[in-house]
Amino acid sequence: MQSRLKKTLYLSLAAISLGAASLSATSASAKSYATAGAYQALKTDATTRNVEATGTNALYTKPGTVKGAKVVASKATMAKLASSQKSSDYFRAYGVKTTNRGSVYYRVVTMDGKYRGYVYGGTVATAFEGGIKSANTLTDATMPLNKTVYLSDTNKDALWTSPKYTQYKATKINLQNTTSVDAWTILAAKTETRGGALYYYVQNAKTPTIKGWVLASGTSTNSTAATAHNSVTIKYQAADGSTVSTVSWVNPQAKTAANGVAVAVKATDENSSKVGLKDFVAKSVPTGYVASTTNNGSDPASTTINYGTTIVININKQATSKLSFYDTTKANGITGGTAMTAANFVGGVYPAIATSKQEAALQGDATMAFNTDNLTAMFKDVTIASTDKVATSDITDAVDATGKTVTVKKGETYHVVYSIAKEATKAANANAKYGDSIKVGLKQEKLVAGSAAKTNVSDPTNGNYAK
């Protein structure tokens, strides 16, 4: 009897122990994720939603505690943005989601558009806390005594709706109807909180509706009026023969007797901004156009252009091409294949390319053939990686992060690193011009064991990638 009782107790305890172990294993394996509420766009004045990173939280593709959230900018990267002295590294908050745990996540984007995602913002949807805090991108500055100034260069020192990167999507103001001799009235003065550059808010005395922000260093208290003795007129002419704009390059150091004398390509023949005639002609091409040729035989790079004369520059509309990607290792290649989507790349977004590189490679004369060679420079130093894949059989020719050859076993994760297939891309776009959609061929450079790094991502709304 006693022996049976001991045996029964032993079996009961064993059953309880196994049940507890099973419950513990189930609890440990079930990871708990938060759920996010509906997205809400922020409606307050946009200028009150300028924020800066605190460096305490990372930036994610969705609220960080929600299943599937991926890192856009790590905590370390956010710390660098927090201590940055560049206005481009401020953020604009424009949306919010709140999780079922009461955590608030703001949708933010850097002023230059490089980083976009969700960052933890505390527990109250009416304040910026946690990973971000409110920022004043500009600081009041002392107004100068002389409030009448002239723009040193109406192209280089263009006016902005706000000093560049101090407000999201600040844009240039069209100065096409102004001249280098126009007077401007200073209405306000501000310095960049980061960087300290001084800006003036100026209004055109002749046309008061034209006003905006300009670097103080781009103004002068002296008017440099163009005369036949000190200037060359540049007229930009469209393909239909119409004049798009006319500007004057003025050398304030030119002697009175310079009328009819050739402009010298040397340091002494510069305008007040220290810009020579050749560079001035190139920089003054109207926005949205590209220079084609001179139609009167005058080459701005030569020494045969005389003071008091006019150069006529033919210009054509500028066009921007969009890119679509094709995996050339597949049977149909580019011509018969299906274009890849953002989902085919790491992080679910297209490769991150600096705006300046995109403009250099994708913008050009709408009448000219697209130069696919420029794509090599565009993608230089950019890792083009696929989204994670699962091996369907053993892959013996993969490499690890150090470049060492390894085997990826069936069922394990790997990713593809691509490079531009130059010849296939060139052939597929043989008749393409700027403005046409460009097909970019990708070839598999290597298979890499493990997941791809998710730090090199771009704004998924990038307009230069065909959707």
Side-chain angles (χ1 to χ4, degrees), residues 72-125:
V72 173
S74 66
K75 183 176 176 181
T77 297
M78 293 293 275
K80 289 180 180 178
L81 297 177
S83 60
S84 170
Q85 289 304 303
K86 296 180 179 179
S87 293
S88 56
D89 291 334
Y90 282 120
F91 286 85
R92 167 65 60 79
Y94 62 94
V96 65
K97 284 187 177 184
T98 302
T99 71
N100 61 331
R101 297 173 182 172
S103 295
V104 174
Y105 282 84
Y106 288 102
R107 179 77 166 163
V108 297
V109 59
T110 48
M111 293 297 189
D112 62 0
K114 183 177 180 180
Y115 295 100
R116 185 189 297 268
Y118 286 90
V119 62
Y120 174 68
T123 56
V124 181

Side-chain angles (χ1 to χ4, degrees), residues 376-448:
T376 301
M378 177 177 167
F379 286 98
K380 184 180 180 182
D381 301 324
V382 174
T383 299
I384 308 175
S386 75
T387 189
D388 287 352
K389 301 177 181 294
V390 177
T392 56
S393 60
D394 288 357
I395 300 174
T396 59
D397 57 348
V399 298
D400 61 15
T402 66
K404 180 182 177 181
T405 301
V406 295
T407 295
V408 176
K409 296 185 179 299
K410 180 180 178 180
E412 293 183 340
T413 299
Y414 74 99
H415 66 276
V416 179
V417 173
Y418 298 102
S419 61
I420 302 295
K422 296 180 183 178
E423 295 306 316
T425 299
K426 190 171 185 177
N429 301 284
N431 299 314
K433 295 181 179 180
Y434 285 95
D436 293 342
S437 181
I438 303 301
K439 297 180 177 181
V440 181
L442 300 179
K443 59 182 179 181
Q444 294 187 5
E445 193 69 29
K446 56 186 176 182
L447 306 181
V448 184

Side-chain angles (χ1 to χ4, degrees), residues 63 70 155 213 227 259 275 311-312 355 389 400 420 427 430 447 467:
K70 297 179 175 63
N155 180 69
W213 291 93
T227 69
N259 187 11
V275 178
I311 306 172
V312 180
T355 301
K389 301 177 181 294
D400 61 15
I420 302 295
L447 306 181
K467 300 298 183 289

